[in-house]
């Protein structure tokens, strides 16, 4: 169980270490913590009829960051929570 959790969690993390056209200078970075909410109060079927009403929500918390490792290499990470 623990190994499958670690495997699934590692699939959600994207890390990119590459030489790109626009890299960050060594030691500089950009970081962003983002929280998004999408809410609705009705569920419709394919015919357009209201199937259910109530409050539904989709909440997302994520982190995005870039850090210049050297002047030619930038580490990028996107981690959804």
């Amino acid at each position: 169980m623990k190994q499958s959790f670690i495997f699934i969690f590692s699939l959600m993390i994207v890390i990119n270490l590459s030489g790109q056209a626009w890299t960050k200078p060594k030691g500089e970075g950009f970081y962003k913590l983002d929280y998004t909410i999408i809410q609705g109060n009705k569920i419709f079927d394919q015919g357009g009829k209201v199937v259910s009403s109530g409050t539904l929500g989709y909440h997302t918390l994520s982190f995005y960051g870039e850090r210049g490792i050297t002047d030619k290499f930038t580490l990028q990470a996107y981690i959804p929570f």
Side-chain angles (χ1 to χ4, degrees):
M1 180 69 178
K2 185 178 179 182
Q3 291 176 341
S4 62
F5 174 76
I6 292 171
F7 176 72
I8 292 170
F9 184 74
S10 66
L11 291 177
M12 295 180 354
I13 298 174
V14 177
I15 297 177
N16 181 15
L17 177 64
S18 61
Q20 303 169 5
W22 294 279
T23 58
K24 295 281 184 198
K26 182 178 180 180
E28 290 187 15
F30 170 79
Y31 309 99
K32 176 181 159 183
L33 185 63
D34 189 41
Y35 181 67
T36 305
I37 301 173
I38 300 173
Q39 284 189 314
N41 57 4
K42 294 181 183 175
I43 299 174
F44 297 92
D45 65 5
Q46 291 180 346
K49 295 180 183 178
V50 176
V51 176
S52 175
S53 59
T55 303
L56 300 170
Y58 178 76
H59 301 259
T60 304
L61 178 66
S62 62
F63 169 80
Y64 175 79
E66 297 179 357
R67 178 80 176 175
I69 304 301
T70 68
D71 287 335
K72 295 183 179 184
F73 288 98
T74 297
L75 175 69
Q76 296 177 330
Y78 175 74
I79 304 171
F81 301 106

